[in-house]
Amino acid sequence: MDVFRALMHPRSEAALSKVVFSALWAVSRRFGHRLGSIVGPAGMVVTVLVWVLLQAVGWALVYLPHVPDGFDYSSGIDPGRHPVAAEALYVSLVTLATLGFGDVVATEPLIRFLAPVEALTGFALLTASLTWFMQIYPPLSRRSALALRLHGLAEADFAAAVRDLPRTPSRG
């Protein structure tokens, strides 16, 4: 829901995203705003990582009751060597990233149905994240171009040059 509200709502009213950005701005204030220029891009990256983490944990909770019995493991892999929660998170992350290593395959019908659904949500999350970045890129590039232009004018001491120009009488 947060992804949808961040991308589709006219005012980008995504609660989770607001929390992430607010926390990063609070950290930036502690450093006297020296980190201010990276808060926006860092906030976007952290927000996407939180979205991924929440999805991965959510799907891992779906898989948890079915690990290890609902899966078939490749030879040489002993599911008993790893904690069940870690195994569920591994399966979830590999599926969410649409990698599908093949070392763990779902055998229960419900999990066989849900794994591709998770892969589709992972693909949708990737697409949504790229869309969000592409929405933000044009204003950021305009801001960077303006900052470079202002820096160049400051280096050339343009304000003093304008101040020293002779004034012409108004024709009023």
Side-chain angles (χ1 to χ4, degrees):
M1 185 57 131
D2 195 72
V3 175
F4 177 78
R5 292 183 65 91
L7 293 173
M8 301 300 182
H9 196 277
R11 292 188 311 252
S12 295
E13 291 187 352
L16 185 62
S17 305
K18 283 185 179 183
V19 169
V20 168
F21 278 93
S22 295
L24 288 173
W25 277 114
V27 169
S28 172
R29 278 195 300 268
R30 287 192 174 262
F31 291 98
H33 290 291
R34 285 179 283 175
L35 303 176
S37 63
I38 65 166
V39 169
M44 292 181 72
V45 170
V46 170
T47 299
V48 169
L49 290 175
V50 169
W51 289 342
V52 169
L53 180 66
L54 287 175
Q55 274 210 23
V57 169
W59 284 103
L61 291 173
V62 170
Y63 297 140
L64 190 62
H66 306 278
V67 172
D69 299 329
F71 295 91
D72 187 28
Y73 293 85
S74 294
S75 62
I77 297 178
D78 180 14
R81 289 185 46 213
H82 308 288
V84 175
E87 191 66 28
L89 186 60
Y90 168 76
V91 169
S92 176
L93 283 169
V94 169
T95 306
L96 186 64
T98 66
L99 294 174
F101 289 146
D103 57 345
V104 180
V105 178
T107 56
E108 287 185 12
L110 176 64
I111 302 303
R112 286 178 56 85
F113 171 76
L114 290 177
V117 172
E118 182 186 7
L120 286 172
T121 63
F123 186 71
L125 182 60
L126 173 66
T127 304
S129 301
L130 291 174
T131 300
W132 195 31
F133 288 131
M134 294 310 292
Q135 286 176 342
I136 299 299
Y137 181 76
L140 286 178
S141 65
R142 284 193 304 271
R143 185 192 75 168
S144 294
L146 177 62
L148 286 172
R149 179 177 279 166
L150 290 173
H151 179 72
L153 290 173
E155 288 287 317
D157 203 17
F158 184 73
V162 169
R163 187 176 53 242
D164 295 340
L165 287 175
R167 297 186 184 253
T168 59
S170 63
R171 296 183 187 179

